Amino acid sequence: MGIKERQERDREAVRQAILDAARDLFVGHGFEQVSIRKIAERVEYSPAAIYGYFPSKDDIFFALAEDGFRLMTGDPAALESLAALPPLERVRELF
């Protein structure tokens, strides 16, 4: 694996960490109560670094929604793992 591939993998891992932190915060505190600064604190990055991945909090939300819709319409195995959850939990996991 070359340097470029490793950098891309690392960048994707940070992006996913941002999305995971944002999802947890949005579910726990509500979209309006969460700031880029709170997301940055959760992933231990600066707010400026978060803006390097997502231009705004709305863009983070839309990325989460897109991932959820992709999960709902895509991988059947992923959908099966959600089928055992109660409906509200299933929606929370999707978003």
Side-chain angles (χ1 to χ4, degrees):
M1 179 179 296
I3 293 172
K4 192 167 189 119
E5 290 86 5
R6 183 179 51 81
Q7 288 173 334
E8 183 60 34
R9 187 185 68 224
D10 291 347
R11 182 166 173 77
E12 182 57 33
V14 171
R15 181 184 184 281
Q16 191 59 52
I18 293 167
L19 291 174
D20 291 343
R23 181 184 307 107
D24 290 346
L25 289 168
F26 291 159
V27 169
H29 302 284
F31 179 79
E32 292 298 323
Q33 299 302 315
V34 176
S35 65
I36 291 289
R37 182 173 303 283
K38 285 183 182 179
I39 296 168
E41 287 172 3
R42 177 71 64 98
V43 294
E44 299 178 346
Y45 276 84
S46 70
I50 304 300
Y51 286 116
Y53 289 85
F54 297 97
S56 70
K57 183 173 78 166
D58 290 341
D59 290 302
I60 295 172
F61 180 81
F62 291 133
L64 289 170
E66 185 178 300
D67 287 348
F69 285 118
R70 190 174 306 122
L71 182 61
M72 285 191 317
T73 61
D75 183 15
L79 291 176
E80 287 178 26
S81 68
L82 295 175
L85 296 174
L88 186 55
E89 281 300 311
R90 194 174 318 146
V91 170
R92 283 186 177 142
E93 284 297 314
L94 288 172
F95 291 101

Coordinates of all heavy atoms in Angstrom, one line a residue:
M1 N 0.8 -1.2 0.0 CA 0.0 0.0 0.0 C 0.9 1.2 0.0 O 1.8 1.4 0.8 CB -0.9 0.0 1.2 CG -1.8 1.2 1.3 SD -2.9 1.2 2.7 CE -3.9 -0.2 2.4
G2 N 0.6 2.2 -0.9 CA 1.4 3.4 -1.0 C 0.9 4.4 0.0 O -0.1 4.3 0.7
I3 N 1.7 5.5 0.0 CA 1.4 6.6 0.9 C 0.0 7.2 0.5 O -0.7 7.5 1.4 CB 2.5 7.7 0.8 CG1 3.8 7.1 1.3 CG2 2.1 9.0 1.5 CD1 5.0 8.0 1.1
K4 N -0.3 7.4 -0.7 CA -1.5 8.0 -1.1 C -2.7 7.2 -0.6 O -3.7 7.7 -0.1 CB -1.6 8.2 -2.6 CG -2.7 9.0 -3.1 CD -2.5 9.4 -4.6 CE -3.5 10.5 -5.0 NZ -2.9 11.7 -5.4
E5 N -2.6 5.9 -0.8 CA -3.7 5.0 -0.3 C -3.9 5.1 1.2 O -5.0 5.1 1.7 CB -3.5 3.5 -0.7 CG -3.6 3.3 -2.2 CD -2.3 3.6 -3.0 OE1 -1.3 3.9 -2.3 OE2 -2.4 3.5 -4.2
R6 N -2.8 5.1 1.9 CA -2.8 5.2 3.4 C -3.4 6.5 3.8 O -4.3 6.6 4.7 CB -1.4 5.0 4.0 CG -1.5 5.1 5.5 CD -0.1 4.8 6.1 NE 0.9 5.7 5.6 CZ 1.1 7.0 6.0 NH1 0.3 7.5 6.9 NH2 2.1 7.7 5.5
Q7 N -3.0 7.6 3.2 CA -3.6 8.9 3.5 C -5.1 9.0 3.2 O -5.8 9.5 4.0 CB -2.9 10.0 2.7 CG -1.5 10.3 3.1 CD -0.8 11.3 2.2 OE1 -1.1 11.4 1.0 NE2 0.2 11.9 2.7
E8 N -5.5 8.4 2.1 CA -7.0 8.3 1.8 C -7.7 7.5 2.9 O -8.8 7.9 3.3 CB -7.2 7.8 0.4 CG -8.6 7.8 0.0 CD -9.3 9.1 0.0 OE1 -8.6 10.1 -0.3 OE2 -10.5 9.2 0.3
R9 N -7.1 6.4 3.3 CA -7.7 5.5 4.3 C -7.8 6.3 5.6 O -8.9 6.3 6.3 CB -6.9 4.2 4.5 CG -7.6 3.3 5.4 CD -6.7 2.0 5.7 NE -5.6 2.5 6.4 CZ -4.3 2.1 6.2 NH1 -4.0 1.3 5.2 NH2 -3.3 2.6 7.0
D10 N -6.8 7.0 6.0 CA -6.8 7.8 7.2 C -7.8 8.9 7.2 O -8.5 9.2 8.1 CB -5.4 8.4 7.5 CG -4.3 7.3 7.9 OD1 -4.7 6.2 8.1 OD2 -3.1 7.7 7.9
R11 N -7.9 9.6 6.0 CA -8.9 10.6 5.9 C -10.3 10.1 6.0 O -11.1 10.7 6.6 CB -8.7 11.3 4.5 CG -9.6 12.5 4.3 CD -9.2 13.4 3.1 NE -10.2 14.4 2.8 CZ -10.4 15.5 3.5 NH1 -9.6 15.8 4.5 NH2 -11.3 16.4 3.1
E12 N -10.5 9.0 5.4 CA -11.9 8.3 5.5 C -12.2 7.9 7.0 O -13.3 8.1 7.4 CB -12.0 7.1 4.6 CG -13.4 6.5 4.6 CD -14.5 7.4 4.2 OE1 -14.3 8.4 3.4 OE2 -15.6 7.3 4.8
A13 N -11.2 7.5 7.7 CA -11.4 7.1 9.1 C -11.7 8.3 9.9 O -12.6 8.2 10.8 CB -10.1 6.4 9.6
V14 N -11.1 9.4 9.7 CA -11.4 10.7 10.4 C -12.8 11.1 10.0 O -13.6 11.5 10.9 CB -10.4 11.8 10.2 CG1 -10.8 13.1 10.7 CG2 -9.0 11.4 10.7
R15 N -13.1 11.1 8.8 CA -14.5 11.5 8.3 C -15.5 10.6 9.0 O -16.5 11.2 9.5 CB -14.6 11.3 6.8 CG -15.9 11.7 6.2 CD -16.0 11.5 4.7 NE -17.2 11.9 4.1 CZ -18.4 11.3 4.2 NH1 -18.5 10.1 4.8 NH2 -19.5 11.8 3.6
Q16 N -15.3 9.3 9.1 CA -16.3 8.5 9.7 C -16.4 8.7 11.2 O -17.4 8.7 11.8 CB -15.9 7.0 9.5 CG -17.0 6.0 9.9 CD -18.3 6.3 9.2 OE1 -18.3 6.4 7.9 NE2 -19.4 6.4 9.9
A17 N -15.2 9.1 11.9 CA -15.3 9.4 13.3 C -16.1 10.7 13.5 O -16.8 10.8 14.5 CB -13.8 9.6 13.8
I18 N -16.0 11.6 12.6 CA -16.8 12.9 12.7 C -18.2 12.5 12.6 O -19.1 13.0 13.4 CB -16.3 13.9 11.6 CG1 -14.9 14.4 11.9 CG2 -17.3 15.0 11.6 CD1 -14.3 15.1 10.7
L19 N -18.6 11.7 11.6 CA -20.0 11.3 11.4 C -20.5 10.6 12.6 O -21.7 10.8 13.1 CB -20.1 10.5 10.1 CG -20.0 11.3 8.8 CD1 -20.0 10.3 7.7 CD2 -21.0 12.4 8.7
D20 N -19.7 9.6 13.2 CA -20.2 8.9 14.3 C -20.4 9.8 15.5 O -21.4 9.6 16.2 CB -19.2 7.8 14.7 CG -19.1 6.7 13.6 OD1 -20.0 6.5 12.8 OD2 -18.1 5.9 13.6
A21 N -19.5 10.7 15.8 CA -19.6 11.6 16.9 C -20.9 12.5 16.7 O -21.6 12.7 17.6 CB -18.4 12.4 17.0
A22 N -21.0 13.0 15.5 CA -22.2 13.9 15.2 C -23.5 13.1 15.4 O -24.4 13.7 16.0 CB -22.1 14.4 13.8
R23 N -23.5 11.9 14.9 CA -24.7 11.1 15.1 C -25.1 10.9 16.5 O -26.2 11.1 17.0 CB -24.6 9.7 14.4 CG -25.8 8.9 14.5 CD -25.6 7.5 14.0 NE -25.1 7.4 12.6 CZ -23.9 7.1 12.3 NH1 -23.0 6.7 13.2 NH2 -23.5 7.1 11.0
D24 N -24.1 10.6 17.4 CA -24.4 10.4 18.8 C -24.8 11.7 19.4 O -25.8 11.7 20.2 CB -23.1 9.9 19.5 CG -22.7 8.5 19.1 OD1 -23.5 7.8 18.6 OD2 -21.5 8.1 19.4
L25 N -24.2 12.8 19.1 CA -24.6 14.1 19.7 C -26.0 14.5 19.2 O -26.8 15.0 20.0 CB -23.6 15.1 19.3 CG -22.2 15.0 20.0 CD1 -21.2 15.9 19.4 CD2 -22.4 15.3 21.5
F26 N -26.3 14.4 17.9 CA -27.6 14.7 17.4 C -28.7 13.9 18.0 O -29.7 14.5 18.4 CB -27.7 14.5 15.9 CG -26.8 15.5 15.0 CD1 -26.5 15.1 13.7 CD2 -26.4 16.7 15.5 CE1 -25.7 16.0 13.0 CE2 -25.6 17.5 14.8 CZ -25.3 17.2 13.5
V27 N -28.5 12.6 18.2 CA -29.5 11.8 18.8 C -29.6 12.1 20.3 O -30.7 12.2 20.8 CB -29.1 10.3 18.7 CG1 -30.0 9.4 19.5 CG2 -29.3 9.9 17.2
G28 N -28.5 12.4 21.0 CA -28.6 12.7 22.4 C -29.0 14.0 22.8 O -29.6 14.2 23.9
H29 N -28.7 15.0 22.0 CA -28.9 16.4 22.4 C -29.8 17.2 21.4 O -30.3 18.3 21.7 CB -27.6 17.2 22.5 CG -26.7 16.6 23.5 ND1 -26.8 16.7 24.8 CD2 -25.6 15.8 23.3 CE1 -25.9 16.1 25.5 NE2 -25.1 15.5 24.5
G30 N -30.1 16.6 20.2 CA -30.9 17.3 19.2 C -30.0 18.1 18.3 O -28.9 18.7 18.7
F31 N -30.4 18.2 17.1 CA -29.6 18.9 16.0 C -29.3 20.4 16.4 O -28.1 20.8 16.3 CB -30.3 18.9 14.7 CG -29.6 19.6 13.6 CD1 -28.6 19.0 12.9 CD2 -30.0 20.8 13.2 CE1 -27.9 19.6 11.9 CE2 -29.3 21.5 12.1 CZ -28.3 20.9 11.5
E32 N -30.3 21.1 16.9 CA -30.1 22.5 17.2 C -29.1 22.7 18.4 O -28.5 23.8 18.4 CB -31.4 23.1 17.5 CG -32.4 23.2 16.3 CD -31.8 24.1 15.2 OE1 -31.2 25.1 15.5 OE2 -32.0 23.7 14.0
Q33 N -29.0 21.8 19.3 CA -28.1 22.0 20.4 C -26.7 21.6 20.2 O -25.8 21.8 21.1 CB -28.7 21.1 21.6 CG -30.1 21.5 22.0 CD -30.2 23.0 22.4 OE1 -29.3 23.5 23.2 NE2 -31.2 23.7 21.9
V34 N -26.4 21.0 19.0 CA -25.0 20.6 18.7 C -24.3 21.6 17.8 O -24.9 22.1 16.9 CB -25.1 19.2 18.0 CG1 -23.7 18.7 17.6 CG2 -25.7 18.1 18.9
S35 N -23.1 21.8 18.1 CA -22.3 22.8 17.3 C -21.1 22.0 16.7 O -20.7 20.9 17.2 CB -21.8 23.9 18.2 OG -20.9 23.4 19.2
I36 N -20.5 22.6 15.8 CA -19.2 22.1 15.2 C -18.2 21.9 16.3 O -17.5 20.9 16.4 CB -18.7 22.9 14.0 CG1 -19.6 22.9 12.8 CG2 -17.3 22.5 13.7 CD1 -19.6 21.6 12.1
R37 N -18.2 22.9 17.2 CA -17.2 22.8 18.3 C -17.4 21.6 19.2 O -16.5 20.9 19.6 CB -17.3 24.1 19.2 CG -16.3 24.2 20.3 CD -16.4 25.5 21.0 NE -16.1 26.7 20.2 CZ -14.9 27.0 19.7 NH1 -13.8 26.3 20.1 NH2 -14.7 28.1 19.0
K38 N -18.7 21.3 19.5 CA -19.0 20.1 20.3 C -18.6 18.8 19.6 O -18.1 17.9 20.2 CB -20.5 20.0 20.6 CG -20.9 21.0 21.7 CD -22.4 20.8 22.0 CE -22.8 21.8 23.1 NZ -24.2 21.7 23.4
I39 N -18.8 18.8 18.3 CA -18.4 17.6 17.5 C -16.9 17.5 17.5 O -16.3 16.4 17.7 CB -18.9 17.7 16.0 CG1 -20.5 17.6 16.0 CG2 -18.3 16.6 15.2 CD1 -21.1 18.0 14.7
A40 N -16.2 18.6 17.3 CA -14.7 18.6 17.3 C -14.2 18.2 18.7 O -13.2 17.4 18.7 CB -14.2 20.1 17.0
E41 N -14.8 18.6 19.8 CA -14.4 18.2 21.1 C -14.5 16.6 21.2 O -13.6 16.0 21.8 CB -15.2 18.9 22.2 CG -14.8 20.3 22.4 CD -15.8 21.0 23.3 OE1 -16.7 20.4 23.9 OE2 -15.6 22.3 23.5
R42 N -15.6 16.1 20.7 CA -15.8 14.7 20.8 C -14.8 13.9 20.1 O -14.4 12.8 20.6 CB -17.2 14.4 20.3 CG -17.6 12.9 20.2 CD -17.9 12.3 21.6 NE -19.0 12.9 22.3 CZ -20.2 12.3 22.4 NH1 -20.5 11.2 21.7 NH2 -21.2 12.9 23.1
V43 N -14.3 14.3 18.9 CA -13.3 13.6 18.1 C -11.9 14.1 18.4 O -11.0 13.6 17.8 CB -13.6 13.6 16.6 CG1 -14.9 12.9 16.3 CG2 -13.6 15.0 16.1
E44 N -11.8 15.1 19.3 CA -10.5 15.6 19.7 C -9.7 16.2 18.5 O -8.5 16.0 18.3 CB -9.6 14.5 20.4 CG -10.3 14.1 21.7 CD -9.5 13.0 22.4 OE1 -8.6 12.4 21.8 OE2 -9.8 12.7 23.6
Y45 N -10.4 17.0 17.7 CA -9.9 17.8 16.6 C -10.3 19.2 16.8 O -11.3 19.5 17.6 CB -10.4 17.3 15.3 CG -9.6 16.1 14.7 CD1 -9.9 14.8 15.1 CD2 -8.6 16.3 13.8 CE1 -9.2 13.7 14.6 CE2 -7.9 15.2 13.3 CZ -8.2 13.9 13.7 OH -7.5 12.9 13.2
S46 N -9.7 20.1 16.1 CA -10.1 21.5 16.2 C -11.3 21.7 15.3 O -11.5 21.0 14.3 CB -9.0 22.4 15.7 OG -8.8 22.3 14.3
P47 N -12.2 22.7 15.6 CA -13.3 23.0 14.7 C -12.8 23.3 13.2 O -13.5 22.8 12.3 CB -13.9 24.3 15.3 CG -13.6 24.1 16.8 CD -12.2 23.5 16.8
A48 N -11.7 23.9 13.1 CA -11.1 24.2 11.7 C -10.9 22.9 11.0 O -11.1 22.8 9.8 CB -9.9 25.0 11.8
A49 N -10.4 21.8 11.7 CA -10.2 20.5 11.0 C -11.5 19.9 10.6 O -11.5 19.3 9.5 CB -9.5 19.6 12.0
I50 N -12.5 20.1 11.4 CA -13.9 19.5 11.0 C -14.3 20.2 9.7 O -14.8 19.6 8.8 CB -14.9 19.8 12.1 CG1 -14.4 19.1 13.4 CG2 -16.3 19.2 11.7 CD1 -14.2 17.7 13.4
Y51 N -14.1 21.5 9.6 CA -14.5 22.3 8.4 C -13.7 21.8 7.2 O -14.2 22.0 6.1 CB -14.4 23.8 8.6 CG -15.4 24.4 9.5 CD1 -15.1 25.0 10.7 CD2 -16.8 24.4 9.1 CE1 -16.1 25.5 11.5 CE2 -17.7 24.9 9.9 CZ -17.4 25.5 11.1 OH -18.4 26.0 11.9
G52 N -12.6 21.2 7.4 CA -11.8 20.6 6.3 C -12.5 19.4 5.7 O -12.2 19.0 4.5
Y53 N -13.4 18.8 6.5 CA -14.1 17.6 6.0 C -15.5 18.0 5.6 O -16.1 17.4 4.6 CB -14.2 16.6 7.1 CG -12.8 15.9 7.3 CD1 -11.9 16.5 8.2 CD2 -12.5 14.7 6.7 CE1 -10.6 15.9 8.4 CE2 -11.3 14.1 6.9 CZ -10.3 14.7 7.7 OH -9.1 14.1 7.9
F54 N -16.2 18.9 6.3 CA -17.6 19.3 6.1 C -17.7 20.8 6.2 O -17.3 21.4 7.2 CB -18.5 18.6 7.1 CG -18.5 17.1 7.0 CD1 -17.7 16.4 7.9 CD2 -19.3 16.4 6.1 CE1 -17.7 15.0 7.8 CE2 -19.3 15.1 6.0 CZ -18.5 14.3 6.9
P55 N -18.2 21.5 5.2 CA -18.3 22.9 5.2 C -19.3 23.5 6.3 O -19.1 24.6 6.7 CB -18.9 23.3 3.8 CG -18.6 22.1 3.0 CD -18.6 20.9 3.9
S56 N -20.2 22.6 6.8 CA -21.2 23.1 7.8 C -21.8 21.9 8.5 O -21.6 20.8 8.1 CB -22.3 23.9 7.1 OG -23.1 23.0 6.4
K57 N -22.5 22.3 9.6 CA -23.2 21.3 10.4 C -24.3 20.6 9.5 O -24.5 19.4 9.6 CB -23.8 21.9 11.6 CG -24.5 20.9 12.6 CD -24.9 21.6 13.9 CE -26.1 22.4 13.7 NZ -26.8 22.8 15.0
D58 N -24.9 21.4 8.7 CA -25.9 20.9 7.8 C -25.3 19.8 6.9 O -26.0 18.8 6.6 CB -26.5 22.0 6.9 CG -27.4 22.9 7.7 OD1 -27.9 22.5 8.8 OD2 -27.7 24.0 7.3
D59 N -24.1 20.0 6.4 CA -23.5 19.0 5.5 C -23.2 17.7 6.2 O -23.3 16.6 5.7 CB -22.2 19.6 4.9 CG -22.5 20.7 3.9 OD1 -23.2 20.4 2.9 OD2 -22.0 21.8 4.1
I60 N -22.9 17.8 7.5 CA -22.7 16.6 8.3 C -24.0 15.9 8.4 O -24.1 14.7 8.2 CB -22.1 17.0 9.7 CG1 -20.7 17.5 9.6 CG2 -22.2 15.7 10.6 CD1 -20.2 18.1 10.9
F61 N -25.1 16.6 8.7 CA -26.4 16.0 8.8 C -26.8 15.3 7.5 O -27.3 14.2 7.5 CB -27.5 17.0 9.2 CG -28.8 16.5 9.4 CD1 -29.2 15.8 10.5 CD2 -29.7 16.6 8.3 CE1 -30.5 15.3 10.6 CE2 -31.0 16.0 8.4 CZ -31.4 15.4 9.6
F62 N -26.6 16.0 6.4 CA -27.0 15.4 5.1 C -26.1 14.2 4.8 O -26.6 13.2 4.2 CB -26.9 16.4 4.0 CG -27.9 17.5 4.1 CD1 -27.6 18.8 4.0 CD2 -29.2 17.2 4.3 CE1 -28.5 19.9 4.1 CE2 -30.2 18.2 4.5 CZ -29.8 19.5 4.3
A63 N -24.9 14.2 5.2 CA -24.0 13.0 5.0 C -24.6 11.8 5.8 O -24.6 10.7 5.4 CB -22.6 13.3 5.4
L64 N -25.0 12.1 7.0 CA -25.6 11.0 7.9 C -26.9 10.5 7.3 O -27.2 9.3 7.2 CB -25.9 11.6 9.3 CG -24.7 11.8 10.1 CD1 -25.0 12.6 11.4 CD2 -24.0 10.5 10.5
A65 N -27.7 11.4 6.8 CA -29.0 11.0 6.1 C -28.7 10.2 4.9 O -29.3 9.1 4.7 CB -29.8 12.3 5.7
E66 N -27.7 10.6 4.1 CA -27.4 9.8 2.9 C -26.9 8.4 3.3 O -27.3 7.4 2.6 CB -26.3 10.6 2.1 CG -25.9 10.0 0.8 CD -24.8 10.8 0.1 OE1 -25.1 12.0 -0.2 OE2 -23.8 10.3 -0.1
D67 N -26.1 8.3 4.3 CA -25.6 7.0 4.7 C -26.8 6.2 5.2 O -26.8 4.9 4.9 CB -24.6 7.1 5.9 CG -23.2 7.6 5.4 OD1 -23.0 7.7 4.2 OD2 -22.4 8.0 6.3
G68 N -27.7 6.8 5.9 CA -28.9 6.0 6.3 C -29.8 5.5 5.2 O -30.2 4.4 5.2
F69 N -30.0 6.4 4.2 CA -30.8 6.0 3.0 C -30.0 4.9 2.2 O -30.6 3.9 1.7 CB -31.1 7.1 2.1 CG -32.2 8.0 2.7 CD1 -32.0 9.3 3.0 CD2 -33.5 7.4 2.9 CE1 -33.0 10.1 3.6 CE2 -34.5 8.2 3.5 CZ -34.3 9.5 3.8
R70 N -28.7 5.0 2.2 CA -27.9 4.0 1.5 C -28.1 2.7 2.2 O -28.2 1.6 1.6 CB -26.5 4.4 1.4 CG -25.6 3.5 0.5 CD -24.2 4.1 0.3 NE -24.2 5.5 -0.1 CZ -23.6 6.5 0.5 NH1 -23.0 6.2 1.6 NH2 -23.7 7.7 0.1
L71 N -28.0 2.7 3.5 CA -28.2 1.5 4.3 C -29.6 0.9 4.1 O -29.7 -0.3 3.9 CB -27.9 1.8 5.8 CG -28.0 0.7 6.7 CD1 -27.0 -0.4 6.4 CD2 -27.8 1.2 8.1
M72 N -30.6 1.7 4.1 CA -32.0 1.2 3.9 C -32.2 0.6 2.5 O -32.9 -0.4 2.4 CB -33.0 2.4 4.1 CG -33.2 2.8 5.5 SD -34.6 3.9 5.8 CE -34.5 5.1 4.5
T73 N -31.5 1.1 1.5 CA -31.8 0.6 0.2 C -30.7 -0.3 -0.4 O -30.8 -0.8 -1.5 CB -32.0 1.8 -0.8 OG1 -30.8 2.6 -0.8 CG2 -33.1 2.7 -0.4
G74 N -29.6 -0.4 0.4 CA -28.5 -1.1 -0.2 C -28.3 -2.5 0.4 O -29.0 -3.4 0.0
D75 N -27.3 -2.6 1.2 CA -26.8 -3.9 1.7 C -27.9 -4.7 2.5 O -28.3 -4.3 3.6 CB -25.6 -3.6 2.6 CG -24.9 -4.9 3.1 OD1 -25.2 -6.0 2.6 OD2 -24.1 -4.8 4.0
P76 N -28.4 -5.8 1.9 CA -29.4 -6.6 2.6 C -28.9 -7.2 4.0 O -29.7 -7.2 4.9 CB -29.7 -7.8 1.6 CG -29.1 -7.3 0.3 CD -28.0 -6.3 0.6
A77 N -27.6 -7.5 4.1 CA -27.1 -8.0 5.3 C -27.2 -7.0 6.4 O -27.6 -7.3 7.6 CB -25.7 -8.5 5.2
A78 N -26.9 -5.7 6.1 CA -27.0 -4.6 7.1 C -28.5 -4.4 7.5 O -28.7 -4.2 8.7 CB -26.5 -3.3 6.5
L79 N -29.4 -4.5 6.5 CA -30.8 -4.4 6.9 C -31.3 -5.5 7.8 O -32.1 -5.3 8.7 CB -31.6 -4.3 5.6 CG -31.5 -3.1 4.7 CD1 -32.3 -3.2 3.5 CD2 -31.8 -1.8 5.5
E80 N -30.8 -6.7 7.6 CA -31.2 -7.8 8.4 C -30.7 -7.6 9.9 O -31.4 -7.9 10.8 CB -30.6 -9.1 7.9 CG -31.3 -9.6 6.6 CD -30.6 -10.9 6.1 OE1 -30.0 -11.6 6.9 OE2 -30.7 -11.1 4.9
S81 N -29.5 -7.0 10.0 CA -29.1 -6.8 11.4 C -29.9 -5.7 12.1 O -30.0 -5.8 13.3 CB -27.6 -6.3 11.4 OG -27.5 -5.1 10.8
L82 N -30.6 -4.9 11.4 CA -31.4 -3.8 12.0 C -32.8 -4.4 12.2 O -33.6 -3.8 13.1 CB -31.5 -2.6 11.1 CG -30.2 -1.8 10.9 CD1 -30.5 -0.7 9.9 CD2 -29.8 -1.3 12.2
A83 N -33.2 -5.4 11.5 CA -34.6 -5.9 11.6 C -35.0 -6.4 13.0 O -36.1 -6.3 13.4 CB -34.8 -7.1 10.7
A84 N -34.0 -6.8 13.8 CA -34.3 -7.2 15.2 C -34.5 -6.1 16.2 O -35.1 -6.3 17.3 CB -33.1 -8.1 15.7
L85 N -34.2 -4.9 15.8 CA -34.4 -3.7 16.7 C -35.8 -3.2 16.6 O -36.5 -3.3 15.6 CB -33.4 -2.6 16.2 CG -31.9 -2.9 16.3 CD1 -31.1 -1.7 15.7 CD2 -31.5 -3.1 17.8
P86 N -36.3 -2.6 17.7 CA -37.6 -1.9 17.7 C -37.5 -0.8 16.6 O -36.4 -0.2 16.4 CB -37.7 -1.3 19.1 CG -36.7 -2.0 19.9 CD -35.6 -2.5 19.0
P87 N -38.6 -0.4 16.1 CA -38.6 0.6 15.0 C -37.9 1.9 15.3 O -37.1 2.4 14.5 CB -40.1 0.9 14.8 CG -40.8 -0.3 15.2 CD -40.0 -0.9 16.3
L88 N -38.1 2.5 16.5 CA -37.4 3.7 16.9 C -35.9 3.6 16.9 O -35.1 4.4 16.4 CB -37.9 4.3 18.2 CG -37.4 5.6 18.6 CD1 -37.7 6.7 17.5 CD2 -38.1 6.1 19.9
E89 N -35.5 2.5 17.5 CA -34.0 2.2 17.5 C -33.5 2.0 16.1 O -32.3 2.4 15.8 CB -33.7 1.0 18.4 CG -33.7 1.2 19.9 CD -32.7 2.3 20.3 OE1 -31.5 2.2 19.9 OE2 -33.1 3.2 21.0
R90 N -34.2 1.3 15.3 CA -33.8 1.1 13.9 C -33.6 2.4 13.2 O -32.6 2.6 12.5 CB -34.9 0.3 13.2 CG -34.5 -0.3 11.9 CD -35.5 -1.2 11.2 NE -36.1 -2.0 12.2 CZ -37.4 -2.4 12.1 NH1 -38.2 -2.1 11.1 NH2 -37.9 -3.2 13.0
V91 N -34.5 3.4 13.4 CA -34.4 4.7 12.8 C -33.1 5.4 13.3 O -32.3 6.0 12.6 CB -35.6 5.6 13.0 CG1 -35.4 7.0 12.6 CG2 -36.8 5.0 12.2
R92 N -32.9 5.3 14.6 CA -31.8 5.9 15.3 C -30.5 5.4 14.7 O -29.5 6.1 14.5 CB -31.8 5.7 16.8 CG -32.7 6.7 17.5 CD -32.6 6.6 19.0 NE -33.5 7.5 19.6 CZ -34.3 7.3 20.7 NH1 -34.2 6.1 21.3 NH2 -35.1 8.2 21.1
E93 N -30.4 4.1 14.5 CA -29.2 3.4 14.0 C -29.0 3.9 12.5 O -27.9 4.0 12.1 CB -29.3 1.9 14.0 CG -29.1 1.3 15.4 CD -27.7 1.6 15.9 OE1 -26.7 1.4 15.2 OE2 -27.6 2.0 17.1
L94 N -30.1 4.1 11.8 CA -29.9 4.5 10.4 C -29.4 5.9 10.3 O -28.6 6.2 9.4 CB -31.3 4.4 9.7 CG -31.8 3.0 9.4 CD1 -33.2 3.1 8.8 CD2 -30.9 2.3 8.4
F95 N -29.8 6.7 11.2 CA -29.3 8.1 11.2 C -28.2 8.4 12.2 O -27.7 9.4 12.4 CB -30.5 9.1 11.4 CG -31.4 9.1 10.2 CD1 -32.5 8.4 10.2 CD2 -31.0 9.8 9.0 CE1 -33.4 8.4 9.1 CE2 -31.8 9.8 7.9 CZ -33.0 9.1 8.0

